[in-house]
Amino acid sequence: MELKSVLHFLEDKTILVTGATGFLAKVFVEKILRCQPNIKKLYLLLRATDTESVSHRLHHEVFGKKLFKIQRDKWGEKFSSFLSEKVVTVAGDVSLHNFGIKDQILIEEMLEEIDIIVHSAATTRLDERFDVAMDTNTMGAYNAINFAKMCHKIEIFLHVSTAYVCGEAKGQIPEKPFRMGQTLKSSSELDINLEKQLIKKKLSELQSQNANQETITSVMKEFGTIRANLHGWPNTYVFTKAMGEMVVTNMKGNIPLIITRPTVIIGTFSEPFPGWIEDVRTIDYVFVEYFKGAITSFVGNPKITADLIPVDMVTNSMIIAMLVHSKNNTSNNLIYHIGTSLRNPIKLSEIQDIMHLYITKNPWLKNYGKSGTLYEKFTFNPNYTDDLEFPQYKGSRLKRIMNMYRPYLHFEGM
């Protein structure tokens, strides 16, 4: 599809992006502002209590990042004024009705002006507290689609989900929506309201026991995993994201809905420049621990294809999906799995080789090469025990880490 079509589609559009400080959202915002500066307006929703704190977060967590270096160089001293003209920061919380926005005039302006909503706000911790994940990933989707239904000229609602809502299914996975109440176990039925009631009951029990915050967090994390496993999902994150999909699909009405399901998102491939990454994410944990000399092995079958997708490819796919949806002029749901395992697969054995090649050329250990200190070649092992080359992670902690990451390192592609 020609770039000209994309630029024309984005020109003079007003877009609301939730979760604007998130890894994917930042790259999406950078792409929009860099490629189509004639966009009308970007509303960026950030979790904050007031205008001052939201402006501080926007500067330090978004536009102050190296990610925006190309644009800062391009605009020079005019970069701040360009942002002031195009970007409106919104202090809010997706877990609340109308995102908890207190300024009624601002709400009315947003409802009048917004053409597109990109709902990317989420908590991506695999073992998040069940109540926190429910509020953000499920009820956040509920509040976002309700807000979209009030927008006067909404053209597209794009909901960012994850490919792993499909659980640990093997082979090619169809791009099909969940029906309300569907689970990954044929023997069970899901009731989102019941899950919310169970969360409320569990929290009430903990409060009556005068449990401290550490205990509450631990219990609610475990509770989320139990409920997810009961219905066939491997962790709380994908369980609550699946419920979020059910909510937006069931409640969208006539709003054109796009659901994108990226696989494991990694650093940039080429835009705005190669190799930009933020924090230690998903499989990055394995890389960093190996480079630090802490581990030499991790759970995973070397013959299995890992599905890793650069973040700039995800944002490009999101934009193209919106363009295609606008041309089709349909209110039907469109679901896109965004991954690499079908057309450009990479096996874990190849990742092993790449990791060893990189670290021998760019060693992190200060005493590398001295007194016989060398990096062992990293291996993925399909079988593991508590003591599998993780002396510092003996016992239940190792089991928890490996169980959390297992769906992502045993994924066979779509």
Side-chain angles (χ1 to χ4, degrees):
M1 194 166 289
E2 292 184 0
L3 178 60
K4 188 182 296 185
S5 299
V6 175
L7 298 181
H8 178 71
F9 167 68
L10 293 172
E11 187 173 8
D12 208 35
K13 286 288 193 296
T14 295
I15 303 176
L16 165 64
V17 180
T18 67
T21 59
F23 178 58
L24 175 60
K26 275 196 277 270
V27 178
F28 176 82
V29 168
E30 193 280 335
K31 172 79 173 187
I32 297 294
L33 291 175
R34 174 167 47 86
C35 293
Q36 183 46 284
N38 291 324
I39 191 170
K40 185 176 182 180
K41 191 177 295 183
L42 274 177
Y43 285 104
L44 302 184
L45 182 72
L46 289 75
R47 179 175 290 180
T49 55
D50 53 57
T51 303
E52 183 177 345
S53 58
V54 79
S55 298
H56 182 270
R57 285 198 69 193
L58 190 72
H59 173 73
H60 288 277
E61 299 181 37
V62 183
F63 296 120
K65 295 288 184 179
K66 184 180 178 181
L67 176 67
F68 287 85
K69 181 180 184 303
I70 290 177
Q71 294 200 58
R72 285 196 296 269
D73 291 344
K74 172 187 174 182
W75 291 96
E77 295 179 353
K78 296 181 180 180
F79 185 52
S80 294
S81 60
F82 169 68
L83 293 179
S84 298
E85 178 186 348
K86 299 294 181 180
V87 176
V88 177
T89 56
V90 182
D93 185 336
V94 295
S95 68
L96 303 174
H97 174 66
N98 282 348
F99 307 130
I101 301 172
K102 300 174 183 178
D103 187 339
Q104 194 60 40
I105 296 177
L106 175 59
I107 292 177
E108 292 299 326
E109 290 177 351
M110 294 171 69
L111 296 178
E112 181 67 34
E113 297 174 2
I114 290 171
D115 300 298
I116 297 169
I117 293 179
V118 175
H119 178 54
S120 65
T123 174
T124 59
R125 290 179 60 96
L126 305 185
D127 65 339
E128 182 63 271
R129 282 176 50 153
F130 193 20
D131 53 328
V132 174
M134 175 67 80
D135 282 346
T136 305
N137 296 344
T138 305
M139 298 312 297
Y142 173 86
N143 292 320
I145 195 67
N146 272 337
F147 192 85
K149 291 167 75 171
M150 294 188 291
C151 292
H152 301 169
K153 56 174 187 171
I154 189 75
E155 297 178 15
I156 294 170
F157 182 91
L158 189 149
H159 177 70
V160 179
S161 186
T162 169
Y164 300 98
V165 293
C166 301
E168 297 177 336
K170 298 180 179 180
Q172 289 195 348
I173 301 172
E175 295 172 325
K176 291 185 177 180
F178 286 101
R179 64 171 175 79
M180 182 61 78
Q182 180 181 345
T183 72
L184 299 184
K185 286 186 176 179
S186 57
S187 59
S188 68
E189 191 75 10
L190 174 64
D191 183 336
I192 296 177
N193 286 325
L194 174 60
E195 297 300 321
K196 291 169 60 180
Q197 291 170 14
L198 290 174
I199 289 172
K200 186 176 180 180
K201 180 180 178 182
K202 180 66 71 173
L203 288 171
S204 178
E205 290 174 355
L206 291 167
Q207 290 167 0
S208 67
Q209 297 166 8
N210 293 320
N212 60 31
Q213 198 60 44
E214 183 179 354
T215 299
I216 293 173
T217 296
S218 177
V219 170
M220 294 310 295
K221 282 186 174 185
E222 183 180 5
F223 189 49
T225 301
I226 291 171
R227 297 304 300 176
N229 293 167
L230 175 69
H231 295 299
W233 281 277
N235 55 61
T236 307
Y237 166 57
V238 295
F239 177 39
T240 52
K241 289 296 286 184
M243 289 191 283
E245 283 197 21
M246 295 177 198
V247 167
V248 296
T249 302
N250 186 66
M251 296 188 59
K252 73 179 187 69
N254 295 323
I255 295 176
L257 171 66
I258 298 172
I259 297 176
T260 58
R261 292 175 176 169
T263 53
V264 177
I265 301 178
I266 58 176
T268 57
F269 173 69
S270 62
E271 293 186 75
F273 46 82
W276 187 77
I277 187 72
E278 186 177 51
D279 300 326
V280 177
R281 309 172 51 80
T282 57
I283 199 171
D284 302 331
Y285 164 84
V286 180
F287 300 156
V288 170
E289 291 300 304
Y290 171 56
F291 297 158
K292 285 160 52 178
I295 63 174
T296 58
S297 181
F298 202 76
V299 60
N301 189 333
K303 298 179 181 180
I304 290 295
T305 297
D307 204 308
L308 312 175
I309 182 76
V311 62
D312 49 330
M313 292 186 178
V314 178
T315 57
N316 288 342
S317 299
M318 291 163 58
I319 294 169
I320 294 299
M322 291 191 294
L323 174 57
V324 169
H325 215 346
S326 70
K327 288 183 176 293
N328 289 343
N329 193 27
T330 176
S331 60
N332 294 330
N333 303 336
L334 289 181
I335 296 178
Y336 295 93
H337 289 168
I338 307 175
T340 57
S341 58
L342 184 63
R343 294 188 178 182
N344 189 26
I346 182 170
K347 295 186 180 299
L348 291 183
S349 59
E350 295 175 276
I351 294 177
Q352 292 175 182
D353 295 337
I354 293 170
M355 290 169 68
H356 191 253
L357 179 63
Y358 167 81
I359 201 59
T360 52
K361 290 185 176 181
N362 307 276
W364 286 21
L365 298 179
K366 292 181 179 180
N367 60 343
Y368 176 78
K370 300 176 182 178
S371 303
T373 303
L374 297 172
Y375 279 95
E376 294 181 40
K377 186 171 182 179
F378 188 86
T379 58
F380 283 99
N381 194 320
N383 303 306
Y384 62 86
T385 64
D386 284 0
D387 301 326
L388 175 66
E389 299 188 54
F390 283 80
Q392 72 276 47
Y393 292 147
K394 288 184 179 180
S396 61
R397 174 174 166 78
L398 173 59
K399 282 186 176 181
R400 180 176 63 82
I401 292 171
M402 288 187 164
N403 284 328
M404 281 167 53
Y405 281 90
R406 181 169 52 191
Y408 304 89
L409 295 178
H410 281 147
F411 190 68
E412 292 195 8
M414 296 176 283

